[in-house]
Amino acid sequence: MAEVTPEIKQQVQQLRQKVQEASYAYYVLDNPIMEDAVYDRLYRQLQELENQYPELITADSPTQRVGERAATHFTAVKHNVPLYSLENAFNIQEFATWQERWRRGITGGTPAPQTNNVEYVCELKIDGSALALTYENGILIRGATRGDGITGEEITQNVKTIRSIPLKLNLENPPPRVEVRGEAFLGLQVFEQINREREKAGEQLFANPRNAAAGTLRQLDSRIVAKRRLDFFAYTLHIPGRDDTKDGQDAHPTRDHPKDGQDAHPTRDFQTQWESLELLQKMGFRVNPNRKICPSLDEVRQYYEYWDTERVNLPYMTDGVVVKLNSLKLQEQLGFTQKFPRWAVALKYAAEEAPTRVEYISVNVGRTGALTPLAELTPVQLAGTTVSRATLHNIDYVRSLDIRIGDTVIVHKAGEIIPEVVRVLTELRPSGTQPFEMPTHCPVCNQPVVKLQTEAVTRCVNTSCPAIFKGSLVHWASRDALDINGLGEKLVQQMVDRNVVQSVADLYDLTTPKLMSLERMGNKLAEKLVSAIAQSKTQPWSRVLYGLGIRHVGSVNAQTLTQKFTNVEQLVEASAASIESVYGIGPEIAQSVFQWFRVPANQTLINRLKAAGLQLANLIPKDGQDAHPTRKLSLAGKTFVITGTLPTLKRDEAKELIQNAGGKVTGSVSAKTDYLVVGEVAGSKLQKAEELGITQLSEAELLQMLEN
C-alpha cells in the first residue's frame, strides 16, 4: 500500500474543500462558481486519490454520498428530539382563534397588552416528507424519517444522496451536537421527468410528488435515491446541551450559553426563529427563500392570500403556510400540548375541488357494522392524488345531496385527506336516473340491517358478519392498538375467508405451519408474523382496551379508563354509573363499555386473551393501588434524573412511576446517577451526563423498562 505523505493529505483536503464549496454554491445558493466539467474533473481526482489511499476517506467526503451496496433493511430509531405535528387552521378566522388562544395561554386569562405586537415568521408548508438530521462535531451521523414523531427509520445512506443536505456543517467550531428538522421533496420538473421515464419503461406512475418523495426515501438502494434528485429545505434547529434557565429545564434548545465568559460556539446569540433560519443557511442548508416576518395578523393574511394564488408558479408543491411565533422566549413560555407546539400553526389552503362522474354507488361494511355508501367515480386528479371513490357518509347525506348513479358531482378532500362529494350538478343529470336507497340486507352476510331513529347510520347487527370481524382484526393490529407489523387488510381478508381465524384470540394460537397455507406466505414471512403477534402481548392495558374496538372508545378514552380501572377485572365489575364518574367519560361511552362487558362472547374473548398472556392490567398502576401485589420492583436500587419536557408525561408523573417501581429520583446528575431521562429542550444535565458516560433514556425507553 502506498505511503500517505503530508503532501497527499493536503491535496485531498484541498480537493474536498473545493468540491464541497462548489456543491454548496450549486445546490444551496443556486449560484454556480465553476463549470460542470471542472467540478467533474476535481471530483474524479478526489475519488482516485481516496481509492488509492482508502485510509483518507472520511464520512463527510463528497464521494461518500452514495453507498456502494444496497441496504437490506431500515432500523427503527428513537428521535433525540420529538417531531411534533402542527395544529391546522383552514382560514384566517381559525388562525385568529389560534392567536387568541396562545395569547390567553401566556397569562391564563385576558391577553396582556405586550402580546398585541408580536412578530410571526411565515414559511411555505412544503408538501414532502419530514426528516430528522443529527450532526456530531459538525459531521452528519444520522438521518431518519419522521415515523410517529417519537420513533422513525434510520435512512442515513439515502439522506446523504440529497445534495442540499451538507455532510459537514459550514462552521469552523460546530457545537458537539446539532439536530436539524426539514422537509425532503421532489421538484415538479424532476417529478414529471421521473414519471415520463417510468412510463417509457412500462412502470406504474407515481400519484404525486409527496408520495414519490416518501417512496424514494425508503428505497434500500441509495443509488436509486441519488438518481431521483431529492431536494431539502431546513426549518428547525435544535442545539442541545445548554445551561438550565428555569426549574431545571433548558429554556430553549436553540440557544447557547457560554461558560466562563468564553463564546464556545458562533450559535449562541440568536433569540428568534428568523435568526435560527439564517444560521441554518450559514451552516450550509437550503432555507425557503419565500419566508417572511409578519408583525401583525393582517400581514399574515396578506402573505397567506398572496401565496394562495402564486403557489401555482412555484417549482414545488405547497399546501399552506406555517406560522410560528418569532420570539424563542415566547415559544418557551407556551411549550407544547401532547400533540402540537402551542406557538406554531399550519394555515392550510382550501382543498381543491374537481368535477367527475358517479359510475356506481357501493356500500362498505365497517368493523362496527356501519354501512357506508361510497361513490365510485371516474378517476380525477385532486390535490395531487388520483381520486376514484368518495365517502357519502350515510343515507341522510345521500338524500340531502340527492346523488344518483350517472350524476356529475363536485368532489374535494376534507382536510385534504378524505375525498368527499360536496354538491351535485343536477343540471347535467341524465334522464332516467333513480334515487339511491340503502340495502335492506347486509351486502356481506345478507342478514337484515337496522337503522335506529336516534342514529343516521344503518348497521349490520350480525356479530358473525365476516366484514365486521375483518374490520375488528384490522383495528386490533393497527398502530395505535396492538401494532402488529405485517397484519394488514389483505392478509386479514385471507385469514377470515379461509377460516384460519374466527376470533381475535385465535391470532395467538397461530403457528408458522398454519400460516403457510395462505397465498404468498413463505416460511420467513410466517415466522415474522408469528413473532410480531407474540410481541403484541407486551402492549399495555390501555392499548388492549382500545384494540377491543368498543364503540365510542378511542385511544385517549382507553388511556383515561385504564388510569381509573387498572385491570380488566375492575372494569368488568364496574357499574355504568361508576364508569361515567371518570372525568372525560360521558354517559354514551359509559353505557357502551358497560354493555360490552355484559356480552358472554366478549367475556369469553377476555378470558382467552388473558390465558394467551396479554396485558390486561397496568404494571405500574396509579392512585397507590397495586394491581399486582407480587410485582417486582424492577428499578430498585437505581437512581434517575429527569431533564427537559417529556412528550406525554409530566415530570411529577414520571417521578411517581419510577418511585413506584423502586427507583430513586434526584435533582442533579452525579457519578451515582444510573440513568438520565431526556425530554425536549434538555438542559446542562444532559451535557454533564454525557461527560460522565451516564445512560440516557427517552420517555418511551423508560416506559419499556417499567413494563419489563
Side-chain angles (χ1 to χ4, degrees), residues 398-413:
V398 171
R399 287 171 179 165
S400 68
L401 287 175
D402 187 24
I403 187 170
R404 306 181 185 188
I405 296 171
D407 276 344
T408 298
V409 296
I410 301 297
V411 292
H412 83 164
K413 281 193 174 181

Side-chain angles (χ1 to χ4, degrees), residues 218-233:
R218 299 197 74 259
Q219 285 284 334
L220 293 173
D221 191 340
S222 62
R223 289 169 292 190
I224 296 175
V225 183
K227 289 179 181 177
R228 293 192 182 163
R229 293 182 290 161
L230 286 165
D231 209 337
F232 181 81
F233 280 133

Side-chain angles (χ1 to χ4, degrees), residues 398-468:
V398 171
R399 287 171 179 165
S400 68
L401 287 175
D402 187 24
I403 187 170
R404 306 181 185 188
I405 296 171
D407 276 344
T408 298
V409 296
I410 301 297
V411 292
H412 83 164
K413 281 193 174 181
E416 295 204 356
I417 297 173
I418 304 170
E420 183 179 54
V421 175
V422 290
R423 63 183 180 276
V424 177
L425 303 180
T426 53
E427 63 272 21
L428 300 179
R429 173 175 290 166
S431 60
T433 60
Q434 297 296 321
F436 173 78
E437 295 294 339
M438 289 290 281
T440 58
H441 288 70
C442 174
V444 176
C445 68
N446 202 36
Q447 294 299 305
V449 297
V450 299
K451 182 180 181 299
L452 301 178
Q453 290 185 346
T454 55
E455 288 189 333
V457 178
T458 304
R459 294 186 188 279
C460 172
V461 292
N462 173 21
T463 55
S464 300
C465 176
I468 295 175

Side-chain angles (χ1 to χ4, degrees), residues 83-94:
L83 276 76
Y84 288 89
S85 55
L86 292 175
E87 183 178 1
N88 289 329
F90 289 95
N91 51 54
I92 289 297
Q93 290 71 32
E94 290 186 8

Side-chain angles (χ1 to χ4, degrees), residues 636-702:
K638 302 297 182 183
T639 300
F640 292 75
V641 174
I642 305 170
T643 184
T645 304
L646 300 179
T648 63
L649 294 174
K650 294 180 180 178
R651 190 171 290 198
D652 288 344
E653 292 173 336
K655 182 178 179 180
E656 181 183 355
L657 290 174
I658 293 169
Q659 290 173 338
N660 285 343
K664 178 182 178 183
V665 180
T666 62
S668 59
V669 175
S670 71
K672 295 182 180 179
T673 304
D674 295 294
Y675 298 101
L676 178 71
V677 182
V678 183
E680 176 84 14
V681 297
S684 59
K685 295 172 185 175
L686 176 59
Q687 185 175 352
K688 189 169 184 181
E690 288 175 342
E691 292 171 356
L692 294 173
I694 292 167
T695 302
Q696 298 170 27
L697 299 174
S698 65
E699 178 189 291
E701 289 168 332
L702 171 64

Side-chain angles (χ1 to χ4, degrees), residues 89-276:
F90 289 95
N91 51 54
I92 289 297
Q93 290 71 32
E94 290 186 8
F95 175 80
T97 301
W98 169 82
Q99 182 188 50
E100 186 71 10
R101 188 164 65 247
W102 79 252
R103 290 179 63 209
R104 291 183 182 278
I106 290 289
T107 60
T110 304
Q114 63 266 29
T115 64
N116 289 329
N117 302 311
V118 298
E119 290 183 334
Y120 296 104
V121 173
C122 292
E123 305 167 57
L124 295 179
K125 186 175 181 296
I126 308 302
D127 203 11
S129 289
L131 291 181
L133 311 176
T134 302
Y135 290 79
E136 287 188 356
N137 299 315
I139 306 299
L140 176 66
I141 64 158
R142 191 176 86 178
T145 62
R146 181 184 185 278
D148 62 4
I150 302 299
T151 303
E153 289 183 314
E154 194 267 319
I155 56 167
T156 308
Q157 197 59 48
N158 288 349
V159 165
K160 285 183 174 182
T161 69
I162 304 175
R163 301 281 180 171
S164 46
I165 293 179
L167 301 181
K168 181 180 181 181
L169 297 180
N170 187 27
L171 294 174
E172 289 185 7
N173 187 20
R177 175 173 289 226
V178 172
E179 301 282 338
V180 175
R181 302 292 182 261
E183 200 83 1
F185 64 96
L186 279 173
L188 293 175
Q189 285 188 349
V190 174
F191 170 72
E192 290 166 3
Q193 182 182 339
I194 290 171
N195 264 352
R196 283 196 297 269
E197 292 171 354
R198 292 177 72 85
E199 187 174 21
K200 287 180 183 177
E203 297 174 337
Q204 185 176 354
L205 303 186
F206 287 120
N208 56 57
R210 178 182 58 227
N211 291 349
T216 298
L217 287 169
R218 299 197 74 259
Q219 285 284 334
L220 293 173
D221 191 340
S222 62
R223 289 169 292 190
I224 296 175
V225 183
K227 289 179 181 177
R228 293 192 182 163
R229 293 182 290 161
L230 286 165
D231 209 337
F232 181 81
F233 280 133
Y235 52 68
T236 303
L237 173 64
H238 297 273
I239 305 177
R242 304 298 179 255
D243 289 345
D244 290 352
T245 59
K246 183 176 70 173
D247 299 332
Q249 298 183 27
D250 183 13
H252 202 279
T254 55
R255 194 158 71 225
D256 252 342
H257 302 282
K259 295 183 177 181
D260 303 326
Q262 298 179 1
D263 187 356
H265 305 297
T267 57
R268 73 178 181 87
D269 290 328
F270 68 93
Q271 308 290 322
T272 65
Q273 168 67 10
W274 188 265
E275 290 170 342
S276 72

